[in-house]
Amino acid sequence: EYGDEQRHTISQRSRLLMPHRTGSSPQVERSGDSSRNSKALLRRLQQVSTHRPWITMATESAGVNGSYSGDAGMAALSSTYSGGAGVRIEWASSEYIQFTPASNPFVARPTTCNGQQTCNILITLSDFTTSDSTLSSWVSTAGGAWLCVGASQGWDTAWGIIPMDHSAWSIGCNSGAWAGRGAYYSDDDWGGGWVGVKDNGQDKASTTVTVGMTLKMTQALSLSYRGCYINDGTNRVDGDVGGKTVNECAWQARSLGVNVFGMEYPQGSQAAGEADCLTLASFPSMTSTNDSDCEAEGLWNGYHLGGAYRLAVYYLQACPSQYIDSASNLDGADQEWTYPANKSITGCAQACEDRSGCTSFEFNTVGTDNFKCGTYTGGTSNLMQSGQTSGWQSCVKACRASFV
């Protein structure tokens, strides 16, 4: 499933205009390329947007006591999370909240104290979108959102997504008389479960108000920063799309089938952590410069966002860091199939690590074959001349790079 509903995004700063911003293509476009091709590519970009393949982690019905309302919170899902993965909560027929947490959100509720902000775990959310215009307005006004994992001594709400100007902390992620606004999962003291978006004074707990939910997660994308480049003069590449985070730009590149992308001119984007996104067919023919030139607004969660005419270039690697991507299909008599519990490519890589002599693996990334994982021990004999099937990724151990 793909999150292509109308998006409500956070805006924190006025949009600035960068001089000489030309071109509208999502891939490499030079001054001599036709406007017809540019427009066609832009339409394709608008269609694919930042679609991600979502893996269902949990489903709960309305009106029942949920599984994540006790002191353990969502800790049972902790092992399924990989850094940089997106999270999506769906409910009713078309409601959703979607974000990328700054750290693993699936943690137990803290037990040290209650009644203060610091008694809770607050995880900053980026790439925040929601179908609920009221919640979007609250988050936009506050300048961002947190996932609040409430203190275990609280008895109204177990956890929730709240705006950063939240001030109701007396009993975890809310206060008495149902004070607090956001989207909540109620505590088991009342009968826990997802209750959706609630304002001050609205009931935030009990099975009479739970609406059910589907909790989903994406696979994390493995990125490597490849340096800062001068995107100007005769070598300039246009076609930037504004207002993207690094994760959004990475998924945009993945949707277009390319592995290289760049971030440029964060000064011109609406929100902190966003910049112009430029997807590339290959590494650019540009002059490299100091990394500090791509830190016009500092580092954002460790990422370079570029600067004016300075492009921070990233390589999107499908395989985990100890492996390299391969376009070849894999096969052979030594083939062994497993189904990783966390339904992720990292789980498949672990299956390869656990198998003696494993040299490569292939993984069903989109779930059409239940996230099936095939491991191999035959080295070059497993690499077929045919290309890998759509929806599958082949990975070869880095020490075997010579035979990719």
Side-chain angles (χ1 to χ4, degrees):
E1 296 184 69
Y2 300 96
D4 58 353
E5 298 91 338
Q6 181 179 0
R7 302 175 57 194
H8 301 277
T9 58
I10 305 170
S11 298
Q12 293 177 332
R13 299 174 295 179
S14 298
R15 178 76 178 172
L16 303 175
L17 295 178
M18 180 177 179
H20 311 301
R21 308 298 289 175
T22 58
S24 56
S25 165
Q27 294 188 355
V28 177
E29 291 292 328
R30 301 191 186 275
S31 57
D33 294 335
S34 70
S35 60
R36 179 180 300 176
N37 288 339
S38 296
K39 292 177 180 178
L41 285 168
L42 179 59
R43 284 194 297 271
R44 183 182 174 210
L45 173 61
Q46 291 170 335
Q47 291 168 356
V48 297
S49 185
T50 53
H51 292 173
R52 309 180 181 188
W54 294 99
I55 303 167
T56 298
M57 309 305 296
T59 301
E60 295 182 346
S61 300
V64 300
N65 193 31
S67 300
Y68 308 105
S69 57
D71 290 352
M74 294 184 285
L77 300 173
S78 181
S79 63
T80 68
Y81 184 78
S82 298
V87 176
R88 181 179 172 92
I89 301 170
E90 298 176 351
W91 71 100
S93 59
S94 59
E95 298 298 309
Y96 74 94
I97 299 170
Q98 182 175 310
F99 53 85
T100 302
S103 60
N104 188 345
F106 304 135
V107 294
R109 296 167 65 184
T111 60
T112 55
C113 60
N114 187 40
Q116 302 175 36
Q117 177 179 334
T118 54
C119 296
N120 310 288
I121 297 173
L122 300 177
I123 300 173
T124 301
L125 307 181
S126 60
D127 307 330
F128 184 90
T129 62
T130 178
S131 60
D132 190 284
S133 59
T134 300
L135 178 61
S136 177
S137 176
W138 294 341
V139 171
S140 178
T141 300
W146 286 314
L147 172 66
C148 176
V149 183
S152 61
Q153 293 94 325
W155 56 85
D156 279 354
T157 58
W159 51 272
I161 291 100
I162 58 175
M164 285 184 168
D165 60 359
H166 185 86
S167 59
W169 306 107
S170 65
I171 45 178
C173 300
N174 70 289
S175 291
W178 303 119
R181 51 173 47 171
Y184 291 93
Y185 194 100
S186 60
D187 183 85
D188 58 4
D189 187 69
W190 292 86
W194 183 250
V195 299
V197 178
K198 297 293 182 180
D199 202 347
N200 288 304
Q202 292 185 310
D203 288 3
K204 297 174 174 64
S206 91
T207 55
T208 61
V209 294
T210 58
V211 295
M213 71 164 188
T214 299
L215 179 65
K216 298 182 177 182
M217 187 175 71
T218 65
Q219 294 178 40
L221 296 179
S222 179
L223 309 177
S224 61
Y225 172 66
R226 294 302 180 90
C228 185
Y229 293 83
I230 300 173
N231 191 16
D232 199 9
T234 57
N235 287 329
R236 176 164 180 80
V237 179
D238 287 309
D240 307 53
V241 176
K244 300 293 183 185
T245 65
V246 171
N247 283 327
E248 287 179 322
C249 195
W251 279 105
Q252 183 169 290
R254 172 56 54 84
S255 297
L256 291 168
V258 298
N259 290 328
V260 185
F261 68 93
M263 307 298 292
E264 184 178 23
Y265 195 57
Q267 306 97 307
S269 289
Q270 293 177 324
E274 294 181 351
D276 289 355
C277 166
L278 182 63
T279 55
L280 302 164
S282 61
F283 285 104
S285 299
M286 301 174 186
T287 302
S288 62
T289 185
N290 295 328
D291 288 340
S292 59
D293 288 354
C294 282
E295 299 172 12
E297 296 194 349
L299 298 178
W300 181 260
N301 290 337
Y303 291 123
H304 293 78
L305 297 179
Y309 303 109
R310 297 297 185 267
L311 188 70
V313 175
Y314 291 86
Y315 177 70
L316 176 59
Q317 181 172 306
C319 300
S321 58
Q322 67 270 36
Y323 294 82
I324 60 174
D325 302 355
S326 174
S328 298
N329 186 26
L330 301 179
D331 205 355
D334 58 333
Q335 176 188 78
E336 287 188 2
W337 294 110
T338 58
Y339 295 88
N342 64 0
K343 301 179 181 179
S344 74
I345 198 166
T346 56
C348 191
Q350 187 60 52
C352 187
E353 293 297 313
D354 293 342
R355 185 181 179 190
S356 178
C358 182
T359 55
S360 59
F361 70 86
E362 58 183 344
F363 178 67
N364 176 223
T365 58
V366 296
T368 51
D369 283 305
N370 297 317
F371 304 100
K372 198 174 183 180
C373 168
T375 58
Y376 301 85
T377 59
T380 57
S381 66
N382 298 127
L383 294 167
M384 303 292 103
Q385 292 185 351
S386 58
Q388 183 55 277
T389 304
S390 176
W392 287 78
Q393 176 63 47
S394 297
C395 299
V396 178
K397 279 195 173 180
C399 61
R400 307 287 182 173
S402 60
F403 63 75
V404 177

